[in-house]
Amino acid sequence: MKFAFAELHSIDVLTVELDSGAARGRGEGIGVFFHGDNPEKGAIELAAFEKGFGSQVAVEAALGGLKSYAARNALDCALWDLRCKEASTSIHEMIGAPAGTIQTFQTISLDAPGAMAAAAEKVTGPRLKLKVDAPRIVDQVRAVRQVRGDAILMADANQDLSFERLREVAPALAKLNLIMLEQPLTAGEDADLAGFQSPIPLCADESCFTVSALEGLAGLYDAVNIKLDKTGGLTGALALLAEARRLGFDVLVGCMAGTSLSMAPALALATMCDFADLDGPLLLADDYDNAARYVDGTVYPPPKEFWG
């Protein structure tokens, strides 16, 4: 097996390529920046394993020893792509997922309420994800709702609220028909939600990386956000999805930005999830040719020749 990594001009990514001689598979990782991970660290770690990548079995064994989220994600997704190419089958057939388009939320960046409303007016798709902060959260959601009465709105607080602030604003957010609030509290403070009857569904993001987190989140959150960079690739994401379903969680599949190579495995997973937040390529100046296509919030996955 051979592997390589590359940088795109718009963002840094780690691209892994596995070549078995008969087929070639690719995967991309961004990493989890708030855990000190990045593509450069992933590339260094993979370089130490390169001589041991003599077979798919060896690559699979190496995955368990990698510490970098970017490295694990890129390598795992390259393996899935390689398996699909060698078997001449699609990723949907391989993981038992329905094929087709998905509807993604499109991100409105954190800003003053008026600026967020102006940005929302320019988005043609029906699903908007609002980045919000504790002091202005109600005003931000209200401003967007006033100009986009047609839209399905969710909000992402990125751990900015205290429990007291959450209790204070939740009723107003419910009246604004917010369908979900993502990660209101700081990760690790989830126990504060015990017994809280939130009028809006709550979704865990930074509090949920892998299957091991789910038991502790049951009864506190209504949904979890699966990101392949957090789970260490599609393999971990599938395991997290299965356990989340068993425990009764709704599931959002998200991303840490990235190109269509990052989105491709997540798009396959998204056909089995309740919600998708996979607009990463829309934030880039350039993407791959023959990549995923975005039209008014509908995502047309790339062809299997591109990935999977």
Side-chain angles (χ1 to χ4, degrees):
M1 297 283 178
K2 306 172 189 176
F3 82 96
F5 75 96
E7 287 187 358
L8 300 185
H9 293 296
S10 300
I11 57 172
D12 291 334
V13 301
L14 174 64
T15 303
V16 167
E17 184 177 288
L18 296 173
D19 188 343
S20 67
R24 186 173 295 176
R26 297 182 303 158
E28 181 178 293
I30 305 297
V32 182
F33 68 91
F34 53 86
H35 276 213
D37 184 46
N38 58 46
E40 291 77 15
K41 289 184 177 180
I44 293 170
E45 190 171 13
L46 281 174
F49 280 88
E50 182 179 8
K51 293 182 180 179
F53 289 171
S55 67
Q56 286 192 41
V57 173
V59 173
E60 291 167 2
L63 276 167
L66 294 172
K67 296 180 180 179
S68 165
Y69 297 97
R72 289 206 307 269
N73 184 20
L75 185 59
D76 182 74
C77 290
L79 266 174
W80 279 102
D81 188 31
L82 182 64
R83 295 181 190 120
C84 289
K85 299 294 191 296
E86 289 184 331
S88 297
T89 190
S90 72
I91 187 63
H92 297 90
E93 293 171 319
M94 192 161 282
I95 67 175
T101 62
I102 64 106
Q103 301 297 314
T104 185
F105 281 87
Q106 297 179 77
T107 303
I108 304 299
S109 297
L110 177 69
D111 209 329
M116 293 180 67
E121 285 186 290
K122 297 177 183 178
V123 176
T124 54
R127 300 187 179 203
L128 304 180
K129 175 177 175 176
L130 315 181
K131 293 287 189 176
V132 295
D133 56 22
R136 301 176 292 180
I137 181 171
V138 176
D139 291 336
Q140 289 163 330
V141 176
R142 181 182 293 116
V144 172
R145 176 57 75 202
Q146 287 174 344
V147 299
R148 291 298 307 269
D150 63 308
I152 300 170
L153 301 183
M154 67 174 291
D156 184 3
N158 282 117
Q159 310 181 75
D160 198 47
L161 276 65
S162 65
F163 179 60
E164 291 72 21
R165 181 61 172 159
L166 173 61
R167 286 196 302 180
E168 178 186 355
V169 302
L173 296 175
K175 289 180 180 179
L176 292 168
N177 295 320
L178 194 72
I179 68 161
M180 187 159 60
L181 178 60
E182 190 177 344
Q183 197 65 44
L185 308 185
T186 301
E189 297 180 1
D190 311 286
D192 290 347
L193 296 172
F196 176 54
Q197 300 297 315
S198 176
I200 50 172
L202 303 178
C203 178
D205 181 5
E206 286 86 354
S207 291
C208 182
F209 273 59
T210 62
V211 168
S212 63
L214 283 178
E215 288 284 356
L217 301 177
L220 307 178
Y221 289 94
D222 305 283
V224 294
N225 187 342
I226 298 177
K227 293 178 179 175
L228 272 64
D229 272 295
K230 294 190 303 180
T231 62
L234 183 57
T235 300
L238 288 166
L240 181 53
L241 173 61
E243 183 65 2
R245 290 302 194 202
R246 187 186 73 81
L247 293 173
F249 288 101
D250 286 338
V251 179
L252 165 71
V253 57
C255 64
M256 306 289 287
T259 74
S260 282
L261 187 55
S262 274
M263 299 307 119
L267 287 169
L269 185 74
T271 63
M272 299 188 289
C273 298
D274 303 291
F275 307 102
D277 175 26
L278 298 172
D279 64 340
L282 294 180
L283 308 177
L284 302 179
D286 297 294
D287 195 7
Y288 284 97
D289 294 331
N290 205 28
R293 189 163 57 93
Y294 290 75
V295 182
D296 298 336
T298 298
V299 190
Y300 297 81
K304 63 180 182 180
E305 292 76 19
F306 178 83
W307 190 91

